[in-house]
Amino acid sequence: MPDYLDDLRLAHALADAADAATTARFQALDLKVETKPDMTPVSEADKAAEELIRDRLQRARPRDAVLGEEYGVEGTGPRRWVVDPIDGTKNYVRGVPVWATLIALMEEAEDGYQPVVGVVSAPALGRRWWAAKGHGAFTGRDLAAGTPIHVSRVGGLADASFAYSSLSGWEERGRLDGFLDLTRQVWRTRAYGDFWPYMMVAEGAVDICAEPELSLWDMAANAIIVTEAGGTFTGLDGRPGPHSGDAAASNGLLHDELLGYLGPRP
């Protein structure tokens, strides 16, 4: 089995470059922000970071495809890099430090492309998380100074911390009742949002999290980090991996109960 460590080193180098670009424009008074057709914001920093990553991948991995939030897919083949240049753009443009660059490498498998490398870098928080298939998950400032992370061992909802993004998405999809029922069963709820809940699940600080509408670039890096930390990452339909258009992540022990509240109902 490939060890993916060269790819992981490259992903860290890409994240270093993206961090430099995004932090340079964070809280800039003249930051340019546009509204995309889906009514979500995109800043000049989103575009610049993705362009930078694509350029470096073209030179370092010219045979690999790239899928990014801002510029779509380019190339074909059994390996595909998936990039969200700034996950949490609304936070970024408002000066909230909870945003990150998400970089994943996915490889073609029998059940579709699956993530094998993931890096989540949140420079305004001074945090980075990463994983490679078969090598575990880590956090730290850089690859040379990583600390292993693992999901929690909490086995009951009454003792569990549940993280989510917002209420509106659950209501729009007719799942608000199940969501509220779940919040009444757990020990604690917090709306951290974006990449952060998944990283806290991987670290064991949060036990379960879920979101009702996501794109592949929102999930690919998170999925490999959670699973390499010993957790479970699926869609709300229970399908493993980041392909369902929504996500549920847990320490594994609570996953069936999580899906029981938030998954499709007859």
Side-chain angles (χ1 to χ4, degrees):
M1 184 182 73
D3 65 18
Y4 301 110
L5 295 182
D6 284 343
D7 295 309
L8 180 60
R9 283 187 281 270
L10 174 58
H12 273 272
L14 297 173
D16 290 341
D19 285 356
T22 54
T23 54
R25 298 298 292 153
F26 182 51
Q27 297 181 321
L29 296 179
D30 60 344
L31 181 72
K32 296 178 181 177
V33 182
E34 303 171 5
T35 300
K36 294 191 286 189
D38 64 0
M39 302 308 293
T40 61
V42 57
S43 74
E44 63 182 80
D46 292 80
K47 294 180 177 180
E50 184 169 325
E51 289 169 355
L52 184 156
I53 291 170
R54 285 175 177 270
D55 180 66
R56 296 199 175 200
L57 283 172
Q58 177 59 38
R59 287 184 277 122
R61 296 289 190 275
R63 296 183 180 179
D64 293 351
V66 182
L67 169 66
E69 178 175 10
E70 307 308 334
Y71 295 107
V73 65
E74 182 177 3
T76 60
R79 289 164 47 100
R80 176 179 292 179
W81 294 86
V82 179
V83 178
D84 189 342
I86 298 179
D87 183 53
T89 298
K90 291 178 181 178
N91 283 347
Y92 184 88
V93 301
R94 287 296 304 271
V96 178
V98 184
W99 50 270
T101 295
L102 279 54
I103 301 170
L105 172 62
M106 303 186 74
E107 279 198 345
E108 196 171 22
E110 291 183 2
D111 50 352
Y113 284 89
Q114 295 300 327
V116 294
V117 167
V119 172
V120 172
S121 190
L125 296 176
R127 298 294 308 277
R128 183 176 290 187
W129 302 261
W130 63 88
K133 185 177 179 180
H135 290 277
F138 299 83
T139 188
R141 293 281 183 166
D142 55 52
L143 187 57
T147 300
I149 55 177
H150 199 277
V151 296
S152 75
R153 301 301 299 170
V154 171
L157 285 179
D159 300 314
S161 180
F162 170 44
Y164 60 98
S165 287
S166 68
L167 295 178
S168 59
W170 301 102
E171 185 173 26
E172 290 166 3
R173 284 152 191 82
R175 298 186 183 184
L176 184 59
D177 289 345
F179 174 89
L180 293 175
D181 287 343
L182 176 59
T183 66
R184 298 182 183 106
Q185 299 303 313
V186 298
W187 167 65
R188 193 168 191 249
T189 63
R190 285 295 184 272
Y192 299 109
D194 300 309
F195 68 94
W196 208 7
Y198 302 97
M199 298 304 96
M200 287 192 282
V201 167
E203 290 183 327
V206 165
D207 309 298
I208 54 176
C209 69
E211 291 183 87
E213 183 180 18
L214 293 167
S215 297
L216 182 59
W217 47 77
D218 297 313
M219 298 183 281
N222 294 336
I224 183 67
I225 294 171
V226 168
T227 55
E228 283 294 317
T232 301
F233 190 105
T234 73
L236 296 175
D237 57 5
R239 180 185 177 190
H243 294 289
S244 298
D246 45 43
S250 77
N251 63 5
L253 300 174
L254 300 170
H255 208 78
D256 288 344
E257 289 182 274
L258 174 61
L259 295 181
Y261 282 97
L262 299 182
R265 296 192 172 187

PDB file of all heavy atoms in Angstrom, residues 80-99:
ATOM      1  N   ARG A  80      -6.879  12.822  -7.407  1.00  0.00           N
ATOM      2  CA  ARG A  80      -7.500  14.146  -7.511  1.00  0.00           C
ATOM      3  C   ARG A  80      -7.280  14.912  -6.209  1.00  0.00           C
ATOM      4  O   ARG A  80      -7.642  14.450  -5.125  1.00  0.00           O
ATOM      5  CB  ARG A  80      -8.989  14.005  -7.785  1.00  0.00           C
ATOM      6  CG  ARG A  80      -9.757  15.324  -7.814  1.00  0.00           C
ATOM      7  CD  ARG A  80     -11.218  15.111  -8.123  1.00  0.00           C
ATOM      8  NE  ARG A  80     -11.425  14.647  -9.499  1.00  0.00           N
ATOM      9  CZ  ARG A  80     -12.614  14.375 -10.013  1.00  0.00           C
ATOM     10  NH1 ARG A  80     -13.702  14.496  -9.261  1.00  0.00           N
ATOM     11  NH2 ARG A  80     -12.709  13.967 -11.260  1.00  0.00           N
ATOM     12  N   TRP A  81      -6.692  16.095  -6.321  1.00  0.00           N
ATOM     13  CA  TRP A  81      -6.564  17.003  -5.178  1.00  0.00           C
ATOM     14  C   TRP A  81      -7.851  17.817  -5.058  1.00  0.00           C
ATOM     15  O   TRP A  81      -8.388  18.298  -6.059  1.00  0.00           O
ATOM     16  CB  TRP A  81      -5.377  17.935  -5.372  1.00  0.00           C
ATOM     17  CG  TRP A  81      -4.059  17.214  -5.359  1.00  0.00           C
ATOM     18  CD1 TRP A  81      -3.447  16.611  -6.419  1.00  0.00           C
ATOM     19  CD2 TRP A  81      -3.225  17.002  -4.229  1.00  0.00           C
ATOM     20  NE1 TRP A  81      -2.268  16.036  -6.021  1.00  0.00           N
ATOM     21  CE2 TRP A  81      -2.099  16.257  -4.673  1.00  0.00           C
ATOM     22  CE3 TRP A  81      -3.286  17.361  -2.885  1.00  0.00           C
ATOM     23  CZ2 TRP A  81      -1.062  15.875  -3.828  1.00  0.00           C
ATOM     24  CZ3 TRP A  81      -2.261  16.986  -2.033  1.00  0.00           C
ATOM     25  CH2 TRP A  81      -1.162  16.255  -2.493  1.00  0.00           C
ATOM     26  N   VAL A  82      -8.341  17.951  -3.840  1.00  0.00           N
ATOM     27  CA  VAL A  82      -9.588  18.666  -3.583  1.00  0.00           C
ATOM     28  C   VAL A  82      -9.290  19.802  -2.611  1.00  0.00           C
ATOM     29  O   VAL A  82      -8.751  19.570  -1.517  1.00  0.00           O
ATOM     30  CB  VAL A  82     -10.658  17.720  -3.004  1.00  0.00           C
ATOM     31  CG1 VAL A  82     -11.951  18.482  -2.724  1.00  0.00           C
ATOM     32  CG2 VAL A  82     -10.915  16.562  -3.965  1.00  0.00           C
ATOM     33  N   VAL A  83      -9.640  21.020  -3.001  1.00  0.00           N
ATOM     34  CA  VAL A  83      -9.181  22.213  -2.286  1.00  0.00           C
ATOM     35  C   VAL A  83     -10.347  23.140  -1.953  1.00  0.00           C
ATOM     36  O   VAL A  83     -11.146  23.488  -2.827  1.00  0.00           O
ATOM     37  CB  VAL A  83      -8.154  22.987  -3.148  1.00  0.00           C
ATOM     38  CG1 VAL A  83      -7.707  24.255  -2.433  1.00  0.00           C
ATOM     39  CG2 VAL A  83      -6.968  22.100  -3.498  1.00  0.00           C
ATOM     40  N   ASP A  84     -10.417  23.528  -0.707  1.00  0.00           N
ATOM     41  CA  ASP A  84     -11.257  24.653  -0.287  1.00  0.00           C
ATOM     42  C   ASP A  84     -10.296  25.729   0.207  1.00  0.00           C
ATOM     43  O   ASP A  84      -9.724  25.604   1.290  1.00  0.00           O
ATOM     44  CB  ASP A  84     -12.219  24.239   0.827  1.00  0.00           C
ATOM     45  CG  ASP A  84     -13.246  25.317   1.120  1.00  0.00           C
ATOM     46  OD1 ASP A  84     -13.022  26.482   0.722  1.00  0.00           O
ATOM     47  OD2 ASP A  84     -14.276  25.013   1.754  1.00  0.00           O
ATOM     48  N   PRO A  85     -10.074  26.783  -0.575  1.00  0.00           N
ATOM     49  CA  PRO A  85      -9.031  27.743  -0.212  1.00  0.00           C
ATOM     50  C   PRO A  85      -9.292  28.465   1.105  1.00  0.00           C
ATOM     51  O   PRO A  85      -8.357  28.728   1.863  1.00  0.00           O
ATOM     52  CB  PRO A  85      -9.014  28.712  -1.396  1.00  0.00           C
ATOM     53  CG  PRO A  85     -10.355  28.574  -2.026  1.00  0.00           C
ATOM     54  CD  PRO A  85     -10.742  27.135  -1.838  1.00  0.00           C
ATOM     55  N   ILE A  86     -10.555  28.797   1.354  1.00  0.00           N
ATOM     56  CA  ILE A  86     -10.935  29.342   2.670  1.00  0.00           C
ATOM     57  C   ILE A  86     -12.279  28.735   3.051  1.00  0.00           C
ATOM     58  O   ILE A  86     -13.313  29.112   2.497  1.00  0.00           O
ATOM     59  CB  ILE A  86     -11.037  30.879   2.669  1.00  0.00           C
ATOM     60  CG1 ILE A  86      -9.686  31.521   2.328  1.00  0.00           C
ATOM     61  CG2 ILE A  86     -11.511  31.368   4.046  1.00  0.00           C
ATOM     62  CD1 ILE A  86      -9.719  33.041   2.285  1.00  0.00           C
ATOM     63  N   ASP A  87     -12.260  27.801   3.965  1.00  0.00           N
ATOM     64  CA  ASP A  87     -13.482  27.248   4.522  1.00  0.00           C
ATOM     65  C   ASP A  87     -13.884  28.145   5.689  1.00  0.00           C
ATOM     66  O   ASP A  87     -13.154  28.240   6.687  1.00  0.00           O
ATOM     67  CB  ASP A  87     -13.248  25.817   5.001  1.00  0.00           C
ATOM     68  CG  ASP A  87     -14.514  25.173   5.529  1.00  0.00           C
ATOM     69  OD1 ASP A  87     -15.525  25.180   4.810  1.00  0.00           O
ATOM     70  OD2 ASP A  87     -14.498  24.670   6.678  1.00  0.00           O
ATOM     71  N   GLY A  88     -15.022  28.810   5.546  1.00  0.00           N
ATOM     72  CA  GLY A  88     -15.415  29.813   6.529  1.00  0.00           C
ATOM     73  C   GLY A  88     -15.211  31.219   5.993  1.00  0.00           C
ATOM     74  O   GLY A  88     -14.782  32.112   6.727  1.00  0.00           O
ATOM     75  N   THR A  89     -15.541  31.431   4.710  1.00  0.00           N
ATOM     76  CA  THR A  89     -15.335  32.746   4.099  1.00  0.00           C
ATOM     77  C   THR A  89     -16.137  33.835   4.805  1.00  0.00           C
ATOM     78  O   THR A  89     -15.662  34.967   4.951  1.00  0.00           O
ATOM     79  CB  THR A  89     -15.699  32.709   2.604  1.00  0.00           C
ATOM     80  OG1 THR A  89     -14.829  31.789   1.939  1.00  0.00           O
ATOM     81  CG2 THR A  89     -15.549  34.076   1.963  1.00  0.00           C
ATOM     82  N   LYS A  90     -17.349  33.503   5.259  1.00  0.00           N
ATOM     83  CA  LYS A  90     -18.142  34.519   5.963  1.00  0.00           C
ATOM     84  C   LYS A  90     -17.432  34.979   7.231  1.00  0.00           C
ATOM     85  O   LYS A  90     -17.463  36.169   7.581  1.00  0.00           O
ATOM     86  CB  LYS A  90     -19.532  33.973   6.287  1.00  0.00           C
ATOM     87  CG  LYS A  90     -20.403  33.765   5.047  1.00  0.00           C
ATOM     88  CD  LYS A  90     -21.758  33.185   5.415  1.00  0.00           C
ATOM     89  CE  LYS A  90     -22.598  32.960   4.167  1.00  0.00           C
ATOM     90  NZ  LYS A  90     -23.923  32.357   4.483  1.00  0.00           N
ATOM     91  N   ASN A  91     -16.798  34.047   7.935  1.00  0.00           N
ATOM     92  CA  ASN A  91     -15.988  34.436   9.091  1.00  0.00           C
ATOM     93  C   ASN A  91     -14.804  35.298   8.652  1.00  0.00           C
ATOM     94  O   ASN A  91     -14.491  36.320   9.270  1.00  0.00           O
ATOM     95  CB  ASN A  91     -15.470  33.192   9.815  1.00  0.00           C
ATOM     96  CG  ASN A  91     -16.529  32.520  10.663  1.00  0.00           C
ATOM     97  OD1 ASN A  91     -17.595  33.076  10.915  1.00  0.00           O
ATOM     98  ND2 ASN A  91     -16.246  31.317  11.101  1.00  0.00           N
ATOM     99  N   TYR A  92     -14.142  34.855   7.599  1.00  0.00           N
ATOM    100  CA  TYR A  92     -12.945  35.550   7.119  1.00  0.00           C
ATOM    101  C   TYR A  92     -13.240  37.009   6.800  1.00  0.00           C
ATOM    102  O   TYR A  92     -12.506  37.914   7.219  1.00  0.00           O
ATOM    103  CB  TYR A  92     -12.409  34.821   5.882  1.00  0.00           C
ATOM    104  CG  TYR A  92     -11.121  35.373   5.330  1.00  0.00           C
ATOM    105  CD1 TYR A  92      -9.890  34.920   5.797  1.00  0.00           C
ATOM    106  CD2 TYR A  92     -11.129  36.338   4.316  1.00  0.00           C
ATOM    107  CE1 TYR A  92      -8.700  35.426   5.283  1.00  0.00           C
ATOM    108  CE2 TYR A  92      -9.949  36.849   3.798  1.00  0.00           C
ATOM    109  CZ  TYR A  92      -8.734  36.385   4.279  1.00  0.00           C
ATOM    110  OH  TYR A  92      -7.559  36.876   3.770  1.00  0.00           O
ATOM    111  N   VAL A  93     -14.318  37.253   6.053  1.00  0.00           N
ATOM    112  CA  VAL A  93     -14.591  38.625   5.623  1.00  0.00           C
ATOM    113  C   VAL A  93     -15.089  39.503   6.764  1.00  0.00           C
ATOM    114  O   VAL A  93     -15.023  40.734   6.661  1.00  0.00           O
ATOM    115  CB  VAL A  93     -15.592  38.653   4.442  1.00  0.00           C
ATOM    116  CG1 VAL A  93     -15.043  37.859   3.268  1.00  0.00           C
ATOM    117  CG2 VAL A  93     -16.956  38.132   4.848  1.00  0.00           C
ATOM    118  N   ARG A  94     -15.570  38.885   7.866  1.00  0.00           N
ATOM    119  CA  ARG A  94     -16.017  39.660   9.022  1.00  0.00           C
ATOM    120  C   ARG A  94     -14.943  39.807  10.089  1.00  0.00           C
ATOM    121  O   ARG A  94     -15.160  40.452  11.118  1.00  0.00           O
ATOM    122  CB  ARG A  94     -17.263  39.014   9.634  1.00  0.00           C
ATOM    123  CG  ARG A  94     -18.531  39.175   8.822  1.00  0.00           C
ATOM    124  CD  ARG A  94     -18.958  40.639   8.714  1.00  0.00           C
ATOM    125  NE  ARG A  94     -19.138  41.265  10.006  1.00  0.00           N
ATOM    126  CZ  ARG A  94     -20.295  41.252  10.682  1.00  0.00           C
ATOM    127  NH1 ARG A  94     -21.363  40.648  10.169  1.00  0.00           N
ATOM    128  NH2 ARG A  94     -20.376  41.852  11.848  1.00  0.00           N
ATOM    129  N   GLY A  95     -13.783  39.179   9.876  1.00  0.00           N
ATOM    130  CA  GLY A  95     -12.712  39.282  10.855  1.00  0.00           C
ATOM    131  C   GLY A  95     -12.777  38.250  11.959  1.00  0.00           C
ATOM    132  O   GLY A  95     -12.042  38.353  12.952  1.00  0.00           O
ATOM    133  N   VAL A  96     -13.625  37.240  11.814  1.00  0.00           N
ATOM    134  CA  VAL A  96     -13.690  36.136  12.789  1.00  0.00           C
ATOM    135  C   VAL A  96     -12.573  35.141  12.451  1.00  0.00           C
ATOM    136  O   VAL A  96     -12.452  34.714  11.300  1.00  0.00           O
ATOM    137  CB  VAL A  96     -15.066  35.441  12.734  1.00  0.00           C
ATOM    138  CG1 VAL A  96     -15.109  34.267  13.705  1.00  0.00           C
ATOM    139  CG2 VAL A  96     -16.176  36.441  13.050  1.00  0.00           C
ATOM    140  N   PRO A  97     -11.753  34.722  13.409  1.00  0.00           N
ATOM    141  CA  PRO A  97     -10.563  33.927  13.087  1.00  0.00           C
ATOM    142  C   PRO A  97     -10.818  32.456  12.798  1.00  0.00           C
ATOM    143  O   PRO A  97      -9.854  31.713  12.553  1.00  0.00           O
ATOM    144  CB  PRO A  97      -9.692  34.087  14.333  1.00  0.00           C
ATOM    145  CG  PRO A  97     -10.659  34.308  15.446  1.00  0.00           C
ATOM    146  CD  PRO A  97     -11.770  35.121  14.838  1.00  0.00           C
ATOM    147  N   VAL A  98     -12.063  32.013  12.804  1.00  0.00           N
ATOM    148  CA  VAL A  98     -12.360  30.599  12.572  1.00  0.00           C
ATOM    149  C   VAL A  98     -12.558  30.355  11.074  1.00  0.00           C
ATOM    150  O   VAL A  98     -13.670  30.403  10.546  1.00  0.00           O
ATOM    151  CB  VAL A  98     -13.595  30.150  13.381  1.00  0.00           C
ATOM    152  CG1 VAL A  98     -13.831  28.648  13.191  1.00  0.00           C
ATOM    153  CG2 VAL A  98     -13.408  30.459  14.857  1.00  0.00           C
ATOM    154  N   TRP A  99     -11.467  30.120  10.363  1.00  0.00           N
ATOM    155  CA  TRP A  99     -11.471  29.783   8.948  1.00  0.00           C
ATOM    156  C   TRP A  99     -10.202  28.985   8.667  1.00  0.00           C
ATOM    157  O   TRP A  99      -9.249  29.011   9.454  1.00  0.00           O
ATOM    158  CB  TRP A  99     -11.530  31.031   8.064  1.00  0.00           C
ATOM    159  CG  TRP A  99     -10.524  32.085   8.418  1.00  0.00           C
ATOM    160  CD1 TRP A  99     -10.691  33.110   9.304  1.00  0.00           C
ATOM    161  CD2 TRP A  99      -9.177  32.208   7.919  1.00  0.00           C
ATOM    162  NE1 TRP A  99      -9.546  33.864   9.397  1.00  0.00           N
ATOM    163  CE2 TRP A  99      -8.601  33.335   8.553  1.00  0.00           C
ATOM    164  CE3 TRP A  99      -8.418  31.501   7.004  1.00  0.00           C
ATOM    165  CZ2 TRP A  99      -7.299  33.759   8.301  1.00  0.00           C
ATOM    166  CZ3 TRP A  99      -7.119  31.909   6.748  1.00  0.00           C
ATOM    167  CH2 TRP A  99      -6.568  33.021   7.380  1.00  0.00           C
TER     168      TRP A  99
END
